[in-house]
Structures are given as C-alpha cells and as structure tokens.
Amino acid sequence: MDLIDFPPPPAQDVEALRAEVRAFLAEELATRRPQDRARSWSGFDADFSRKVGARGWIGMTWPKRYGGHERSALERYVVLEEMLAAGAPVAAHWFADRQSGPLLLKVGSEEQRRTLLPRMAAGECCFCIGMSEPDSGSDLAAVRTRAVPVEGGFVVNGTKLWTTYAHHAHFMILFCRTGGAEERHGGTSQFLVDLKTPGITIRPIADLAGEHHFNEVVFEDAFLPSSALLGQLGDGWNQVVGELAFERSGPERFLSSFTLLVELVRALGPNPSEQAAVAAGRLTAHLLVLRRLSRSVAGMLQNGENPALQAALVKDLGAIFEQEIPDIARQLVDAEPSQRSTRDFSAVLAHTILNVPSFSLRGGTREILRGIIARGLGLR
C-alpha cells in the first residue's frame, strides 16, 4: 500500500489579511442571525458578492490582466475560511471563484478569459456546474447529456440535476458526451453555456427544508456555437477530474456544520460536564487535523500540482466530521430542533439536521471518493 503525502504548505504571514477580512465581516454580517449563518456556502447575496469583489477577494490568485490580483493560494484560503467560519453568504461568487474561473484559466480560449474572468472577479457573474444527471448519481462517466456537432456549433439534449443556483446563474460549465457511449471517458467534453440560450429550461427542486437552491436543467435542442467549447473536444474527462480537485479540498468540506459547533459550545457554557468537554475537545481536534490537511492541498495547488487524491481524502473525512456534529449536539444539549424556535441553538440544529444528508453527496459521493482513495493507495 502506498502512503499519501500531505506536505506542509509554504510558510507565509497572512495574519494582516485575516484581520482585514474579520473586520469586514464583523461590519457586513453584524445583523445576520445564526440560522442564516448556518447556510454556510449555500447562502446567496449578490450585493455581498459585489462587495467582496470590490475588496479584491474573488479571483485572488488569477493574473491581473484578467481582473485577478496575483495573490497566493494560501491568502485565498485565509479569506475562504474566515468567510465560511463567519457564515457569510458567498454562493453568488462561490462556483466562479472556486472552480469555473480556474478552469477557464487552464483550458479556456483567450476570448473566454477576457470576456468572463474580469466579471467573475468583480462578483458580477454567477456560474453553476452542470455535472450530475438523473440515474447516474456521482458517476460522471455515466453522463448521457449529449452535444452533437452541427454547422457552426453543437446541439445539446439531456438533463442536469441538483444544479445549485442555476436559477440565478449567468453561465453553466456543462459536462456532456460528444463521443460514442463505448468511450466511457474519452468521449466527453465541456462547454461554456449562456443560460439565456433558447432550448434551456430551469426547474426548481426543493430540499428537505423546503428551500430552493437545487434545480433541474433541461436541454432540448439547445444550440451552442463552436466558441462555447471549453478546452479540447473529447478531453472533458481529464478537464473535469482536474476541476474536482478545486471542488473537494477547500475548507467548505469541513465547515458546513461549523455554526452548529459554535452554538453548541455557546449552549454548553463556561462550565460543561466532563462528557461535554471531552466531546467538544474531540470535535476541535478533528477540526484542526482537517484544517491542516486542507491547507496542505492549498499549498499543492499553489505549487502547480494535481492533488486529486488528497482532495478526495479531505472531502470524505470532512463529510464524516460535518455529519457527526448534529448527533453529538443532540446528545449533549436537551433542546428540541425547530426552524421556528427563537432559541438559536434549536434553530441552527434543525437547519443542520435537514441539510446534513447532502454533505456526503455533493462534490462526489462517499463511494466514489473511497474508490479514488483506494486506487491512490494501490488497493484497486
């Protein structure tokens, strides 16, 4: 069995930036309730994202000629973890900053980069990700949405599912089949899709809490010009695997339940029982280990490496951590979870319980991630 290396990230003094972000968030989120902070990176506020863009905190690592700021991956990491720990509503710029922008930088055409990256960095262009489909779960190789070449472009038919904030997004990065079904990996491509394109229908999907952020996106003879192709035709699999390293390794993969952990510690008070102190200490220790692993991945991304294996490990361990917090909180505090409760702990607990099943689905199911990890360990 091979070992998985998590080297320490490059040393860099980021405390001044951390203080700047905390001061900004203290002012902007002063009236944001704990139950709203519990939405974590699912919270959507386009005005907030424009303010973050004006601060230079979107596209932080991108070249300045594309609207970026040429700062380090670790500086970006500091901004992310402070935003998530505070429960800031980052969803309007989240996908563009985390993976769509880096993907455009890596494989996009010069026209695509110059047209879209400055708008993304300003927090004025919202993206969504078209990967998951009905009946295929997280098995991206089973994708059935198909783009057929025609004169001047492609015609797309198929359905994407669980597409977060497609109803607010301006563009989608579409992963679909362009080759034969027998080419499980080689016959796929990615496209940059303007969601105002005729032939695209976006339908809402309510989650367990009755909230709308998921969508079904249906393509019916939607025409995409040749310029919409992202990267090389038939190279979609390699591109999307690299993209997932950005999606699976960040602090969002272990901070989704962080507001509940904060409310739990607040509810336990300054003199918790021995059982509660042990449980809170164990959760804190796990949190610190996950942060260490995640920062290591940020360092590898900064060095131009492809940490897909390490990212899968962080995502799997992070989801386990996020999902166990509600169970531990219920054991330690005698309070009924209720979204209508005026007690912050009860309201945050209810919201987290309703959303926690998704934590091991989004960004790749546990089974898919463990297959990747097993392969990386030489066990498959």
Side-chain angles (χ1 to χ4, degrees), residues 203-260:
R203 298 174 180 143
I205 299 173
D207 67 11
L208 285 175
E211 297 179 348
H212 173 206
H213 46 95
F214 292 134
N215 296 275
E216 177 188 65
V217 182
V218 180
F219 293 80
E220 296 174 293
D221 293 328
F223 174 77
L224 304 181
S226 299
S227 59
L229 179 65
L230 188 54
Q232 298 298 314
L233 186 68
D235 201 30
W237 182 259
N238 291 329
Q239 293 174 191
V240 83
V241 168
E243 182 184 349
L244 287 172
F246 294 105
E247 182 179 347
R248 289 175 174 164
S249 60
E252 72 271 25
R253 295 310 180 189
F254 57 89
L255 290 177
S256 303
S257 301
F258 185 73
T259 301
L260 178 57

Side-chain angles (χ1 to χ4, degrees), residues 16-269:
L17 173 62
R18 189 182 299 282
E20 183 185 355
V21 177
R22 286 185 178 180
F24 169 79
L25 293 173
E27 180 177 346
E28 291 295 329
L29 306 182
T31 60
R32 190 167 176 80
R33 304 175 305 168
Q35 49 266 55
D36 295 327
R37 294 174 186 256
R39 297 173 189 274
S40 187
W41 48 287
S42 293
F44 190 101
D45 185 333
D47 288 339
F48 177 81
S49 289
R50 280 190 283 272
K51 291 179 181 177
V52 175
R55 287 276 183 157
W57 294 336
I58 303 175
M60 289 180 69
T61 62
W62 305 351
K64 291 183 179 179
R65 66 181 182 280
Y66 298 128
H69 305 279
E70 299 184 359
R71 302 185 76 164
S72 71
L74 287 177
E75 287 177 303
R76 177 179 178 272
Y77 191 95
V78 166
V79 172
L80 291 188
E81 69 175 354
E82 289 298 328
M83 293 268 178
L84 295 174
V90 297
H93 66 269
W94 187 254
F95 303 106
D97 182 57
R98 182 179 68 178
Q99 60 195 97
S100 301
L103 183 65
L104 282 177
L105 279 171
K106 186 176 181 181
V107 303
S109 68
E110 188 62 17
E111 179 185 357
Q112 290 169 341
R113 293 171 183 165
R114 291 196 177 278
T115 301
L116 291 173
L117 289 173
R119 291 176 58 195
M120 291 178 176
E124 296 175 348
C125 189
C126 180
F127 267 68
C128 64
I129 307 300
M131 291 188 188
S132 297
E133 294 194 1
D135 304 321
S136 62
S138 289
D139 183 8
L140 290 178
V143 63
R144 290 184 297 185
T145 295
R146 178 173 290 279
V148 177
V150 297
E151 184 176 354
F154 298 82
V155 171
V156 180
N157 282 283
T159 300
K160 291 295 175 180
L161 206 58
W162 313 120
T163 312
T164 303
Y165 287 120
H167 56 302
H168 289 313
H170 301 95
F171 289 89
M172 168 192 282
I173 301 292
L174 171 69
F175 177 70
C176 65
R177 191 161 294 284
T178 50
E182 70 282 0
E183 299 177 80
R184 184 168 164 79
H185 292 165
T188 57
S189 301
Q190 286 183 297
F191 291 87
L192 184 60
V193 181
D194 184 337
L195 289 176
K196 296 191 298 297
T197 301
I200 299 176
T201 303
I202 300 173
R203 298 174 180 143
I205 299 173
D207 67 11
L208 285 175
E211 297 179 348
H212 173 206
H213 46 95
F214 292 134
N215 296 275
E216 177 188 65
V217 182
V218 180
F219 293 80
E220 296 174 293
D221 293 328
F223 174 77
L224 304 181
S226 299
S227 59
L229 179 65
L230 188 54
Q232 298 298 314
L233 186 68
D235 201 30
W237 182 259
N238 291 329
Q239 293 174 191
V240 83
V241 168
E243 182 184 349
L244 287 172
F246 294 105
E247 182 179 347
R248 289 175 174 164
S249 60
E252 72 271 25
R253 295 310 180 189
F254 57 89
L255 290 177
S256 303
S257 301
F258 185 73
T259 301
L260 178 57
L261 181 57
V262 171
E263 294 304 320
L264 170 63
V265 172
R266 186 171 288 136
L268 293 175

